[in-house]
Amino acid sequence: MLDDELARRPDEVMSVGIVELYGLQDLLETIPVSAAQRLLRTVTDRLRNELRGNDAIGRWSETSFIVMLPATPGSAANRTFDRIYQSLVQAIPLDEYGVTINPDPRVGGSVYSNDISSVELVEQAESALEQARKDNTHPIYIWEMKNPFWVQKTSETD
């Protein structure tokens, strides 16, 4: 999907983000499959609520999702990723099991420049996610090709 979008609009800006739910890493293996499915459905619904109609989400790994934001520059992507973070930082109750899950999200994003491939775009998002994992005070990192520096934005509640 990412390659298709880049092929259709090679000169347009686009942002990609990987949203990792750090709090689910050990949890998904210990809860029943039905509870895991419900939990992931809730996460997907929260992601969709923060995205526009032409944005896309997909499962990236067992505990992470990839988000594609066509025609979205870095500053707008940062706002979107902050909204996603604010939505996913809220606990998810699994009432039938008597537990409340803290997803503990981390977000790594990158902004497309026509000088890179989709693979490089995703690699930069993964690198940004690694920075977000290391720094508990800045759970959102965006890497912009035109700016060789990390763009850090603390959430509105920090």
Side-chain angles (χ1 to χ4, degrees):
M1 218 169 135
L2 183 58
D3 286 332
D4 291 345
E5 185 66 25
L6 291 176
R8 269 195 306 271
R9 299 176 189 152
D11 297 326
E12 284 191 24
V13 68
M14 174 177 40
S15 296
V16 170
I18 299 174
V19 180
E20 181 178 64
L21 305 172
Y22 205 65
L24 303 186
Q25 288 186 344
D26 296 326
L27 180 74
L28 288 179
E29 296 173 3
T30 63
I31 62 175
V33 173
S34 61
Q37 289 174 340
R38 183 165 166 250
L39 181 61
L40 292 173
R41 233 177 290 124
T42 300
V43 168
T44 303
D45 290 344
R46 287 184 182 185
L47 284 169
R48 283 189 183 127
N49 286 338
E50 302 306 329
L51 299 176
R52 301 169 301 178
N54 60 340
D55 297 338
I57 60 171
R59 191 85 177 270
W60 188 246
S61 73
E62 189 172 305
T63 59
S64 64
F65 295 82
I66 190 163
V67 178
M68 182 176 72
L69 308 173
T72 307
S75 58
N78 204 11
R79 287 190 301 273
T80 299
F81 293 141
D82 187 56
R83 285 194 319 270
I84 287 171
Y85 173 82
Q86 294 301 324
S87 176
L88 292 175
V89 79
Q90 304 298 316
I92 301 172
L94 293 177
D95 295 330
E96 65 271 22
Y97 299 100
V99 295
T100 300
I101 309 302
N102 176 11
D104 194 16
R106 302 286 189 275
V107 181
S110 62
V111 179
Y112 173 71
S113 144
N114 58 5
D115 298 337
I116 64 168
S117 69
S118 62
V119 171
E120 291 168 312
L121 181 66
V122 170
E123 285 173 352
Q124 293 303 334
E126 289 173 330
S127 177
L129 179 60
E130 186 60 34
Q131 291 296 319
R133 286 180 188 135
K134 291 177 184 176
D135 188 349
N136 287 329
T137 61
H138 296 286
I140 304 167
Y141 273 79
I142 309 290
W143 201 92
E144 293 190 67
M145 297 299 177
K146 294 177 182 174
N147 179 358
F149 303 101
W150 293 105
V151 176
Q152 297 179 358
K153 179 183 182 300
T154 57
S155 66
E156 302 298 322
T157 59
D158 284 351

